[in-house]
Amino acid sequence: QSALTQPPSASGSPGQSVTISCTGTTSDVNNYNIVSWYQQHPDKAPKLIIYEVSKRPSGVPDRFSGSKSGNTASLTVSGLQAEDEADYYCSSFAGNNNLVFGGGTKLTVL
Amino acid sequence: QVQVVESGGGVVQPGRSLRLSCVASGFTFTNYAMFWVRQAPGKGPEWVALIWSDGTNRFFAESVKGRFTISRDNSKNTIYLQMNSLRAEDTAVYYCAKDRGAWSGDNWGQGTLVVVSS
């Protein structure tokens, strides 16, 4: 069982927006602005798309955005494109030099 | 161009040891902490260990504490993961990643598969 809870699946049509949630506790997501999101295509390594809740690394489209409220962080993908179909994982610093991940959400572009 | 390449995976019997290596290039290695993260088949990633840029501090997940050690050789741009007393539940693809800061990995290798089986 993963430390952070994500819905197993999400979907949307091209051009639409979809939001994926990541629920933790007061020990991790709520307590630190150190939430990251990763995109993983089949048989590929994870790719960082959001760090520190809402910052995007260079080269990541601004269609990807992150936010946080209380124990829940969220990733929003706007203007869905076919290449956005992938697994998405959140992570959060959990204190005591510990990092926890979510179980992942499979995003399907219909 | 940043590149991270893991090696050393394979099939090993329970209770035995294995050492993974990760060679990095394309960035100033001595400026960055480095992670090991693993991913069991069909599962989400699991953080394993982190080592500071100068190697003075090392942190481990509870699941591997006391069995795994992490080290680095800054003269070779390389980090290592020494895995002892391996268990079936350690079976996973092991990734090495550069920490861009704030516990986020911004450059990952392709991973190396470790299978613990008799």
Side-chain angles (χ1 to χ4, degrees):
Chain A
Q1 188 173 356
S2 301
L4 304 179
T5 301
Q6 298 181 235
S9 63
S11 63
S13 299
Q16 290 186 332
S17 294
V18 64
T19 297
I20 298 170
S21 62
C22 168
T23 302
T25 69
T26 53
S27 298
D28 39 62
V29 173
N30 190 65
N31 208 29
Y32 303 97
N33 288 325
I34 306 180
V35 175
S36 301
W37 288 91
Y38 297 89
Q39 177 191 64
Q40 187 177 33
H41 287 107
D43 299 320
K44 298 292 187 183
K47 173 189 174 184
L48 181 69
I49 55 173
I50 295 288
Y51 66 99
E52 293 179 27
V53 177
S54 60
K55 298 178 181 179
R56 278 187 310 277
S58 173
V60 173
D62 60 6
R63 302 185 295 103
F64 294 91
S65 62
S67 62
K68 189 186 83 166
S69 178
N71 292 350
T72 300
S74 299
L75 171 73
T76 297
V77 186
S78 305
L80 270 175
Q81 299 182 4
E83 59 262 35
D84 299 333
E85 185 160 296
D87 293 325
Y88 291 83
Y89 297 96
C90 60
S91 71
S92 174
F93 183 67
N96 293 319
N97 297 302
N98 185 34
L99 182 70
V100 293
F101 280 89
T105 298
K106 182 177 182 61
L107 175 60
T108 301
V109 181
L110 302 171
Chain B
Q1 180 182 353
V2 175
Q3 194 170 14
V4 172
V5 180
E6 305 93 339
S7 62
V11 180
V12 61
Q13 293 179 329
R16 303 298 291 265
S17 299
L18 202 62
R19 188 178 85 154
L20 306 183
S21 300
C22 167
V23 180
S25 60
F27 63 97
T28 305
F29 186 71
T30 53
N31 285 354
Y32 293 93
M34 298 290 292
F35 288 114
W36 284 101
V37 176
R38 67 185 181 184
Q39 189 170 26
K43 302 293 186 182
E46 178 190 14
W47 170 70
V48 173
L50 177 141
I51 185 167
W52 280 15
S53 58
D54 60 3
T56 55
N57 277 290
R58 310 157 196 224
F59 308 108
F60 299 90
E62 282 298 324
S63 58
V64 306
K65 204 171 285 186
R67 299 188 299 123
F68 290 13
T69 58
I70 186 172
S71 61
R72 64 192 292 159
D73 184 340
N74 283 350
S75 70
K76 296 181 178 179
N77 281 16
T78 300
I79 69 166
Y80 305 95
L81 186 68
Q82 177 67 42
M83 304 185 295
N84 299 329
S85 303
L86 282 162
R87 306 167 179 166
E89 54 265 36
D90 296 319
T91 293
V93 175
Y94 284 72
Y95 294 101
C96 168
K98 166 179 162 285
D99 179 19
R100 69 158 292 131
W103 291 77
S104 59
D106 64 350
N107 291 96
W108 296 54
Q110 83 290 346
T112 188
L113 177 63
V114 173
V115 176
V116 184
S117 173
S118 54

